[in-house]
Amino acid sequence: MAGILNLAPPPILRRRIPTLTLPSSRRLLVKASAGIESTSAPEFSPPKNFKPPTPRPFTVRPDRGLDILGASLALIFRLGTGAFVSGSCRGRSTLHLGNGSVDEWYSVSLVPKNEYPSNQYGLEVAGYKLKESGSLGPRPEKPIEIYEFESCPFCRKVREIVAVLDLDILYYPCPKNGPNFRPEAVQLGGKKQFPYMVDPNTGVSMYESDDIIKYLVNKYGDGKVPLLLSLGLLTTLTEGFAMLGRMGRGGSYTPAKLPPKPLELWAYEPSPFSKVVREVLVEFELPHILYSCARGSPKRQELYERVGHFQVPYLEDPNTGVKMFESADIVDYLKATYAT
């Protein structure tokens, strides 16, 4: 979970959210298995007496301690890959932390708290604020679409480069035995293989995690694959080890209602708090737009302006109007709203 600044909310500058509803062809494809009639979609509302929790920075709910601990193992095995955006920039008192390539840099400057603008996000450390940034490549106009699931090392590789490149992704979860998007991915691409990427900005679609990574860095980055994502078998092995703490979570389908609109999640791959939420989204086969916001991402400031503080994960559900922080409470909300 990232830090939170409890300052008076500045005027909200709303991020432009693409209007994305599931195409009618997709609803027809899944109507029988998801319990959705072709003439109408189920109505969704927040759980009875629901109240969004107050954000609690750097706090683990006691009953979720083992979940967060297990999800944190990935930080060790993957050495934080995906925790920082790529790019090149300069600042005073700057410490550069690489994403595995000597030409890719994340920049952080220590600025005295009393000199830091009150309307800007910055994590406070010992009387200083961290001013973080990264220079990003071209931005896609529409979210890239990826069919994948959590407990797949090849899918994780792609999710890591998504965080490094700070891309927005429309995820179609494909857990084992999932009746909705797994069959659709096979229908679209012709193979029962994941991840499968569709870029609506270029018309390109492809399998193979390494090919997807190369495509994304060439199209939306500087063309250089981070070192820890370019080690072949070693990369795949460490991706698998990174999942040991969760042992298949986010891999198999749990019956759930399919909403008409994708949920919206602010998160990034290495965050253990984000991980436990993503697992449930995948198991329930809930399509969601993920706004990646690793350290150095400008979307941290955007979310701060949107709601008055920054913390991940942050969920907005356009099907119910719910907006909330806190991973454990988000998991409870998803189960209460969508489980069947």
Side-chain angles (χ1 to χ4, degrees), residues 82-87 97 99 104-107 133-136 163-166 292-298:
F84 307 98
V85 299
S86 65
L97 301 175
N99 271 309
E104 295 180 2
W105 302 103
Y106 151 86
S107 179
S133 57
S135 180
L136 304 174
V164 170
L165 296 176
D166 199 45
S292 187
C293 45
R295 305 214 71 91
S297 169

Side-chain angles (χ1 to χ4, degrees), residues 27-320:
R27 291 198 295 272
L28 291 173
L29 174 68
V30 304
K31 63 177 182 178
S33 56
I36 298 177
E37 298 296 332
S38 59
T39 56
S40 63
E43 295 184 0
F44 295 92
S45 60
K48 187 177 181 180
N49 300 322
F50 174 81
K51 183 179 179 181
T54 301
R56 300 180 295 275
F58 303 110
T59 301
V60 179
R61 207 170 75 182
D63 62 324
R64 299 293 183 180
L66 291 178
D67 291 335
I68 299 302
L69 180 62
S72 298
L73 288 180
L75 292 168
I76 299 173
F77 286 110
R78 293 297 299 150
L79 301 179
T81 304
F84 307 98
V85 299
S86 65
S88 176
C89 55
R90 296 182 180 181
R92 62 175 174 171
S93 303
T94 300
L95 171 66
H96 292 294
L97 301 175
N99 271 309
S101 171
V102 295
D103 294 322
E104 295 180 2
W105 302 103
Y106 151 86
S107 179
V108 55
S109 302
L110 289 175
V111 180
K113 181 180 177 181
N114 60 358
E115 299 179 13
Y116 201 84
S118 61
N119 63 346
Q120 291 186 18
Y121 164 74
L123 182 63
E124 184 175 348
V125 179
Y128 287 84
K129 292 289 187 70
L130 298 183
K131 183 178 178 61
E132 303 169 286
S133 57
S135 180
L136 304 174
R139 302 290 83 190
E141 181 179 349
K142 301 175 184 177
I144 296 164
E145 302 176 11
I146 298 181
Y147 294 77
E148 55 90 60
F149 60 101
E150 268 289 323
S151 60
C152 165
F154 302 100
C155 298
R156 183 183 171 91
K157 288 165 61 176
V158 172
R159 295 196 302 269
E160 287 180 348
I161 198 61
V162 162
V164 170
L165 296 176
D166 199 45
L167 298 173
D168 296 341
I169 303 294
L170 174 54
Y171 282 110
Y172 290 112
C174 300
K176 295 176 181 177
N177 301 317
N180 301 324
F181 302 115
R182 181 171 279 241
E184 179 180 310
V186 174
Q187 184 180 40
L188 290 174
K191 298 180 183 179
K192 193 174 182 179
Q193 179 178 321
F194 302 95
Y196 177 66
M197 183 207 73
V198 178
D199 187 346
N201 303 281
T202 62
V204 170
S205 60
M206 64 175 62
Y207 290 102
E208 297 296 339
S209 57
D210 288 339
D211 291 338
I212 294 173
I213 290 171
K214 290 175 183 177
Y215 169 81
L216 292 176
V217 298
N218 285 325
K219 186 66 179 178
Y220 303 111
D222 61 3
K224 299 174 182 177
V225 177
L227 177 62
L228 291 176
L229 284 170
S230 62
L231 300 177
L233 179 60
L234 181 59
T235 293
T236 304
L237 288 175
T238 55
E239 297 286 12
F241 293 152
M243 299 177 180
L244 290 177
R246 298 301 290 157
M247 293 299 291
R249 297 290 182 89
S252 297
Y253 177 66
T254 297
K257 295 172 285 187
L258 183 68
K261 298 179 181 179
L263 283 68
E264 298 167 8
L265 182 70
W266 278 255
Y268 62 105
E269 180 59 25
S271 165
F273 297 94
S274 300
K275 178 64 58 183
V276 295
V277 171
R278 269 269 307 167
E279 289 171 352
V280 176
L281 288 170
V282 170
E283 290 172 353
F284 284 3
E285 238 185 355
L286 299 177
H288 54 282
I289 304 171
L290 190 144
Y291 301 112
S292 187
C293 45
R295 305 214 71 91
S297 169
K299 278 173 280 189
R300 292 188 169 223
Q301 176 66 23
E302 291 177 17
L303 182 57
Y304 180 74
E305 292 173 349
R306 186 183 180 91
V307 298
H309 52 258
F310 175 82
Q311 181 177 313
V312 293
Y314 172 69
L315 178 77
E316 290 193 357
D317 187 346
N319 303 287
T320 63

